[in-house]
Amino acid sequence: MPLQLITAPSAEPLSLEEVKLHLRVDSPDEDSRLQGLIRVAREHVETLTGRQLMIASYVLWLDEFPSESGSGQASLEAQQLSTAVIRLPRAPLQAFGTVKYLDLNNILQTMSASAYRVDTMSEPGRLTLMPNQSWPDTYAVTLAVQIAFSAGYSGASNVPEELKQAMYLLIGHWHENREATLVGPISKAIEMAVESLCWAHRILEWS
């Protein structure tokens, strides 16, 4: 399921000033490099956890809608276990956009929002069918379905502290060790510490 980034975060969980204070760096000479390390550290933590740390917008592409066993009049519990549920990668789900698809005539359509329910409380967020509704049939091509949504914490203060600390560890390690060939107990300890900090916040379906 390809996930396309549409709008990248406009801010980072850690500011340049916070990182420079952590690293005890006063000079502006490496500001650009440190900003790059902040972004890469965030993306690494996002990959480990399946989370979106700051708000970004995405499109999830599917070849077709899922099967509908457990949909329609079935209980919510049954729908939760059904393959008819569409789970959206990246948590927390912040806002939902549209569901578009190529119909049997290869014409792009927008599915009525009244046909499905958006669950922003679960992690990952989900789409489930409303009673007596069904997913539309689609044209027999790849990427016939596109689902727009945004995910992420509403501000840096809402990002779990453990994930910020994981970013600090990564940034500090990369700042001090600039060679790609570094191996051994030090790098392994950093790797294990980062994974430990991230573990409790993993979204198991996607990480």
Side-chain angles (χ1 to χ4, degrees):
M1 293 183 293
L3 183 64
Q4 180 184 10
L5 177 65
I6 302 300
T7 306
S10 60
E12 296 290 350
L14 301 177
S15 69
L16 177 62
E17 291 73 21
E18 288 173 322
V19 168
K20 292 178 71 172
L21 181 63
H22 173 75
L23 299 175
R24 296 181 174 85
V25 173
D26 297 321
S27 170
D29 294 347
E30 292 199 275
D31 283 4
S32 178
R33 178 174 180 274
L34 291 177
Q35 287 172 330
L37 292 181
I38 293 171
R39 176 183 57 79
V40 173
R42 169 180 56 80
E43 292 174 348
H44 186 75
V45 169
E46 289 172 344
T47 298
L48 286 175
T49 61
R51 293 185 176 275
Q52 181 66 43
L53 300 194
M54 301 296 284
I55 294 177
S57 62
Y58 289 93
V59 168
L60 174 66
W61 294 86
L62 306 174
D63 291 341
E64 59 186 353
F65 288 106
S67 63
E68 295 176 16
S69 59
S71 60
Q73 292 285 3
S75 68
L76 180 58
E77 290 79 10
Q79 288 194 44
Q80 289 172 348
L81 298 174
S82 168
T83 55
V85 174
I86 297 177
R87 290 174 173 80
L88 301 172
R90 300 289 188 175
L93 177 60
Q94 186 66 224
F96 190 77
T98 58
V99 177
K100 296 184 179 182
Y101 64 97
L102 294 174
D103 67 14
L104 293 176
N105 295 313
N106 198 23
I107 298 173
L108 187 65
Q109 304 283 357
T110 299
M111 190 173 178
S112 171
S114 64
Y116 54 84
R117 178 180 175 86
V118 180
D119 174 9
T120 60
M121 298 296 292
S122 297
E123 293 187 336
R126 303 174 299 170
L127 299 184
T128 56
L129 287 168
M130 296 295 285
N132 301 315
Q133 296 293 329
S134 61
W135 298 117
D137 293 326
T138 58
Y139 196 65
V141 292
T142 57
L143 307 181
V145 179
Q146 48 185 287
I147 302 173
F149 68 96
S150 63
Y153 295 93
S154 58
S157 61
N158 301 114
V159 176
E161 190 61 33
E162 294 92 340
L163 303 185
K164 292 182 181 179
Q165 291 302 319
M167 287 182 61
Y168 277 127
L169 283 176
L170 288 168
I171 294 165
H173 181 63
W174 292 334
H175 178 66
E176 293 296 327
N177 303 281
R178 307 191 182 199
E179 298 299 326
T181 56
L182 179 67
V183 295
I186 295 177
S187 59
K188 191 64 177 178
I190 292 293
E191 178 184 341
M192 292 179 62
V194 169
E195 291 182 356
S196 177
L197 287 166
C198 292
W199 183 259
H201 296 279
R202 291 175 64 214
I203 306 299
L204 297 180
E205 287 87 345
W206 300 106
S207 56

